[in-house]
Every structure is written in structure tokens, then in C-alpha cells.
Amino acid sequence: MITATDLLEGPRGRRFILELLRAGTGRSGAADRLGSMLFWADVHLTRTQGRDVGLWGLTLDDSGTVTTTAADTEPMPDLTAVATALDAVEPEVPTPDHAVEALEQTADSSLWWQERDATDDLLARPELIAPLRRLAVRAAASPVVQRLGEPAPAQWAVTFDRDDAGHPAPPMPEALAEWAGRVRADQVEGTDGPSSGEWWTTPPWPAPQTSPAPFADHGPLALWAVEDAFGWQRAEVTEARAGRPTRAMVVDSPEDWADLCRRFPLDVGSTTRRWDWGAATGREGAWVMPDWSRAASEIDVVELTVRGWFRCSGLVVPVDDDRASVVAGWTPGSRYWLTEPGPACDRSSSWSRDQNHGSWSRTTG
């Protein structure tokens, strides 16, 4: 069950509240005022972080020539006024289309390798707690939102057109051991200064990933609720069955992720994750993530629930007095298989969409 508290706990849950409001609100004076305030707040907070935001407009002179000029900048909105604007917008009752759009936008704004998202920063401000709580209560009362967190009767594997189907997968124990060895070598070597590299904390390839399809017509979550998506437009979707008893670890809260890191710690505080996660969260210090090669000795499947993703993704998760971790790069509701054999494949179908965003549609199968 997804509660209002779950949605308010972490940056992804709060962003989902806002994106659900955007998806379920038509054009109105109240919506336009809120949109303008959010835009200018994003501009000013981004600049406060030290990043430039170029604003340009088009002008037409007497000869009919169009030129590009720097646009005027409005002042930073008063946060009390932003809160009032949030309260003034009445969203529609959420539909599956609203939930899909909101979850995709929330995942797409999960950028755990660069400076914190300005809108995420805005939604964490104390002045916005009251209106966000009202919206969170309404969202949590929706059967559509609750369906995102319900136990899944089926799981699906997604293969995008970018995937190299011809590349042979090594045995899972070998692949996990090689990955862990490479991370340890990076930790020993360290980095000379700020740089970016691997920032995700998902199990490495070729660990199979599956996800549920809470809204069958839209396909599984791994089609569209993807952090750091690459604008894929074609995919194969295959029904996946466990086929055998499994030892599962379910991550439903920050405490679950911290426990996973304590049981199977892999220090990464001297790798490039130090800089990526530091920029994304504002934290400086030691970092750790799960060592999936060691976890495989006790766990067959690790699952991050949708509720767990709302509560964890992009949040600094304390592990002990010195170290912390981040849930990064995960699709909500995903399961990763750490041992062989993985899930048994069943019937498959082809899916596509015309643009980088928007609904996926089944084309064959």
C-alpha cells in the first residue's frame, strides 16, 4: 500500500505528486499561474546552484526580420505564493494515463550524476509541505495510484532495440565476480578530481531484469518508468516466470536498502560515484553500495518495489556512522536475478512508440 507519507518521504515521491498534478490538470488560470511560478523558481534555483540557464525570445522588426534576443528574467517567486498556487489547482481524478505520464516524468528527472534537480530542491522546501501533503493524500486515495504498489501477478522482461542481442552472456557468477573486482580496483585507484563515471547501483549485466505491468495496455514499467532513458522507440516484451523457488530480498524502504549495504558492503567512496552522488545529493563523505557478487550467495532475486522507489531513489540512505548509499538507476518495481537459472521466458510481443515520450503500443504478439 502506498501512503501519503511514502510519497512525501523522498525526492521521487514528491516529484510524482507534482507530475501527477500536471498530468491531470487542464488549462486554466490557476494552472497557468502555477506553471509560470514553477518555471521561474526552477530558473533561479538552478542559477543558485552555479549553473547557467539561457533564456531567449524571438522578436520581429519592421522589416519582418526575426531575431533572437535574451529574454527578460522575472524575479524568484515567493515560496508562500507558490504554496498558495499549488493549493489553488484542483487535479482531476487520476487515470492510468495520468499515472503513466507522471511516473515516466518522475523517472526521467532522476539524474544522479549531476547537480541536484532544482524542482526537486523546491519541493523539499518547508513552505510547500502543506499543499504537497494535501495532494499526497488525494493521490494515495486513488485506486490507480494504489495499483502501482499492488503485488504483481506477472513479470515481464524488456529488451530495447539498443540491446546487443548477439553479445554472449558469461555465466552469472563469473560476471558478478568480474564486476565486483573492477569496482574494487576503481576504489583502490581512486580519482584525481571531479569526474563522472558509473553512478547506478543496479546489479550489472547480464543479471536479468523484470518488472510488472500494472496497466496492461501500457506495458511493463521497464518500458517507460526508466531512469536515464535513451529515447528508445522499439522493444521486445517477454513474459517471465520464476520457474523455481527463490530467496528474495525486497527493498521497500530506506532501511531495507541500508540493511542490504551493511550485509554485503562494497565501498565506492573513492570511485567516480563520489563525485556523481555528491553533486546529486549535496553530501560529502564515504559511500557504499551492495556487492551483488556476495549477495548472490544468499539472495536469488532483489526487488525494489514502487513504494520503495518513491521512498528511496535519490535519497541519501545512511548505512552506518560514516557511510551512506544511494538507490540510483532503478526502474520502480524491478526485480533483478542474481543466480541461475533466471526467469523462464514465455510468449513475447513487440512494442513501439513514435516519440521519445508518450504511450507505448503493442505492434505484434
Side-chain angles (χ1 to χ4, degrees):
M1 179 178 180
I2 296 171
T3 68
T5 300
D6 296 334
L7 294 175
L8 292 168
E9 185 171 351
R12 300 296 18 94
R14 292 190 293 269
R15 186 60 169 260
F16 178 74
I17 296 170
L18 175 63
E19 297 298 347
L20 193 64
L21 177 68
R22 284 171 165 165
T25 303
R27 291 297 303 271
S28 67
D32 289 346
R33 283 192 296 275
L34 175 62
S36 178
M37 286 185 175
L38 293 174
F39 174 81
W40 289 112
D42 186 274
V43 168
H44 285 280
L45 290 174
T46 299
R47 288 174 172 172
T48 299
Q49 294 172 352
R51 290 181 287 161
D52 187 34
V53 179
L55 299 175
W56 303 94
L58 299 179
T59 60
L60 182 68
D61 62 22
D62 293 338
S63 66
T65 301
V66 177
T67 58
T68 303
T69 59
D72 293 334
T73 300
E74 294 187 11
M76 172 72 186
D78 178 77
L79 294 185
T80 302
V82 176
T84 300
L86 271 173
D87 262 333
V89 177
E90 289 297 325
E92 300 174 10
V93 175
T95 66
D97 285 347
H98 297 155
V100 167
E101 181 179 346
L103 198 59
E104 179 174 13
Q105 293 299 323
T106 302
D108 199 46
S109 61
S110 304
L111 310 175
W112 310 131
W113 66 92
Q114 65 179 39
E115 289 83 356
R116 291 170 292 174
D117 183 272
T119 298
D120 286 354
D121 267 2
L122 176 67
L123 297 177
R125 299 299 178 96
E127 293 89 344
L128 302 189
I129 289 178
L132 284 176
R133 182 178 291 113
R134 178 183 71 93
L135 293 170
V137 169
R138 293 188 61 163
S142 163
V144 168
V145 172
Q146 288 302 324
R147 202 183 312 171
L148 290 172
E150 291 175 354
Q155 291 275 317
W156 306 83
V158 174
T159 304
F160 290 105
D161 56 0
R162 71 171 179 90
D163 293 337
D164 185 3
H167 190 65
M172 189 68 68
E174 176 184 320
L176 293 180
E178 180 180 345
W179 165 83
R182 187 172 66 252
V183 174
R184 291 192 182 94
D186 290 344
Q187 173 74 3
V188 171
E189 182 178 354
T191 58
D192 295 332
S195 58
S196 183
E198 291 190 8
W199 51 269
W200 49 93
T201 55
T202 54
W205 182 84
Q209 176 197 12
T210 63
S211 68
F215 312 113
D217 291 342
H218 292 278
L221 293 177
L223 266 181
W224 40 269
V226 182
E227 294 189 5
D228 192 33
F230 283 88
W232 303 296
Q233 297 181 30
R234 294 182 302 278
E236 289 295 314
V237 174
T238 305
E239 187 173 4
R241 294 176 288 102
R244 62 185 173 97
T246 58
R247 302 165 297 172
M249 172 68 181
V250 177
V251 177
D252 201 43
S253 68
E255 293 75 19
D256 293 335
W257 184 258
D259 179 61
L260 193 57
C261 292
R262 281 190 290 266
R263 289 171 61 188
F264 313 105
L266 183 61
D267 287 324
V268 293
S270 294
T271 71
T272 55
R273 288 177 176 85
R274 168 189 177 185
W275 307 108
D276 288 330
W277 296 352
T281 66
R283 177 186 181 272
E284 295 183 4
W287 295 100
V288 66
M289 66 173 288
D291 182 339
W292 300 116
S293 64
R294 292 177 54 198
S297 65
E298 300 180 26
I299 297 170
D300 298 311
V301 177
V302 59
E303 175 183 357
L304 177 70
T305 65
V306 175
R307 177 175 181 260
W309 185 77
F310 283 143
R311 300 176 69 190
C312 297
S313 178
L315 189 72
V316 174
V317 178
V319 174
D320 52 35
D321 291 341
D322 301 316
R323 299 178 298 178
S325 187
V326 172
V327 174
W330 287 75
T331 287
S334 284
R335 295 178 183 174
Y336 280 90
W337 297 71
L338 304 179
T339 59
E340 296 172 329
C345 295
D346 206 333
R347 55 195 175 95
S348 64
S349 57
S350 297
W351 290 67
S352 67
R353 63 178 176 180
D354 294 333
Q355 300 176 356
N356 292 349
H357 294 284
S359 298
W360 285 83
S361 301
R362 188 197 306 264
T363 54
T364 64

